[in-house]
Amino acid sequence: DPVVIDRAMAVSTQADLFLAVGSSLQVYPAANTLPRARASGARVVIVNAEETQMDRLADAVVNGSISDILPSVCRA
């Protein structure tokens, strides 16, 4: 839906924190939200089972089982 994509692009530039969870970050145009958030000054955290091509843009990368990691992230 173009409206949803446009909204995601807009809010990605307004975020203080961008949390990417369970994504390969390879599907565009949605994958563009991470570099847009980073360029706008957001802190970026990637939580994923495997490395991604955008790990270098992240302030923190947590690799492992999302079902194990995400509850701890949400509690913190």
Side-chain angles (χ1 to χ4, degrees):
D1 181 347
V3 173
V4 173
I5 297 296
D6 289 345
R7 179 75 175 135
M9 294 299 167
V11 299
S12 68
T13 63
Q14 300 168 7
D16 294 322
L17 173 66
F18 187 96
L19 181 61
V21 179
S23 173
S24 66
L25 299 169
Q26 294 183 14
V27 179
Y28 290 85
N32 282 330
T33 56
L34 187 147
R36 288 172 61 98
R38 179 66 178 182
S40 296
R43 304 281 306 226
V44 174
V45 178
I46 298 173
V47 180
N48 199 39
E50 301 174 357
E51 293 179 4
T52 76
Q53 65 184 13
M54 294 198 195
D55 286 359
R56 61 184 167 66
L57 298 176
D59 294 290
V61 175
V62 182
N63 292 125
S65 168
I66 295 163
S67 61
D68 291 338
I69 297 167
L70 198 53
S72 297
V73 170
C74 290
R75 281 191 297 271

